[in-house]
Amino acid sequence: DAGVTQSPTHLIKTRGQHVTLRCSPISGHKSVSWYQQVLGQGPQFIFQYYEKEERGRGNFPDRFSARQFPNYSSELNVNALLLGDSALYLCASSFGYHYEQYFGPGTRLTVT
Amino acid sequence: AQSVTQLDSQVPVFEEAPVELRCNYSSSVSVYLFWYVQYPNQGLQLLLKYLSGSTLVESINGFEAEFNKSQTSFHLRKPSVHISDTAEYFCAVNEAGGTSYGKLTFGQGTILTVHP
């Protein structure tokens, strides 16, 4: 079975631009979560979606938004990019809330 | 609020030696606990999990971790490491039940370096 997939793999943007990151969960998984991992740190929770509804939000500004589609895939959008948004963005899928989460390979975002 | 502390940022060890990576957590409710491994320029791979039942959990590649509720710890151990175990290891906690959703809180990570 295919694991969690994310696109693109790498992305370079300039300050002020907008970016959309995409994630496809493992087949049968209904929950998708997004994490930001800054170099040298552990991942930080951004959002969780379950059955197309936002179930949780981390301590991130409103420039960050996400949605989940009927096929359970998800998009993470970041507006007005700042240099500090440079990070590895990880998507994870799980069957439900408290099941183990499986991570994709991540999207490396560089903001210049 | 839940939190995770990984007590060692770096652990160097020689091949075939035993290793322990320490993890302590803080939570006011019951928790689920996880260890993930991250190789350079890759995502996180689930190494093992504690959801319920036996407090000693094992992975297929020889790692084990023991949930100690009284000490709020979930240390990761391996009796004999290989060069290929060189990676960064993250401990994570998820609060169980109630109104909590599936947010994972991670520690800062421990870089395990296995020397020949």
Side-chain angles (χ1 to χ4, degrees), chain A residues 32-36 43-49 54-66 76, chain B residues 1-2 101-105:
Chain A
V32 170
S33 299
W34 287 95
Y35 294 82
Q36 180 196 65
Q44 297 291 317
F45 173 78
I46 309 175
F47 287 109
Q48 185 185 51
Y49 277 77
E54 181 183 308
R55 300 293 182 166
R57 184 186 184 109
N59 188 24
F60 280 81
D62 292 342
R63 299 185 295 108
F64 288 77
S65 64
L76 175 69
Chain B
Q2 59 198 31
Y101 47 88
K103 166 187 173 182
L104 281 175
T105 298

Side-chain angles (χ1 to χ4, degrees), chain A residues 52 67-75:
Chain A
K52 301 177 288 295
R67 55 180 176 169
Q68 186 177 33
F69 299 100
N71 67 353
Y72 302 108
S73 67
S74 177
E75 283 183 355

Side-chain angles (χ1 to χ4, degrees), chain B residues 1-59:
Chain B
Q2 59 198 31
S3 67
V4 178
T5 302
Q6 291 184 240
L7 297 162
D8 306 290
S9 59
Q10 297 191 51
V11 173
V13 64
F14 287 106
E15 192 173 19
E16 298 184 2
V19 70
E20 178 180 78
L21 307 184
R22 297 178 293 169
C23 172
N24 286 97
Y25 69 91
S26 174
S27 176
S28 57
V29 299
S30 298
V31 296
Y32 300 131
L33 295 159
F34 306 88
W35 276 99
Y36 286 87
V37 58
Q38 187 174 36
Y39 298 99
N41 300 312
Q42 293 188 25
L44 277 72
Q45 297 177 25
L46 180 64
L47 189 59
L48 44 76
K49 62 189 179 187
Y50 170 77
L51 302 180
S52 64
S54 172
T55 57
L56 182 65
V57 291
E58 299 177 353
S59 72

Side-chain angles (χ1 to χ4, degrees), chain B residues 50-88:
Chain B
Y50 170 77
L51 302 180
S52 64
S54 172
T55 57
L56 182 65
V57 291
E58 299 177 353
S59 72
I60 58 174
N61 57 354
F63 283 95
E64 65 178 31
E66 185 162 18
F67 170 50
N68 188 319
K69 188 175 181 179
S70 63
Q71 297 186 9
T72 60
S73 68
F74 192 54
H75 301 331
L76 181 69
R77 301 184 182 95
K78 189 171 186 180
S80 177
V81 294
H82 302 289
I83 297 288
S84 59
D85 292 326
T86 294
E88 189 161 18

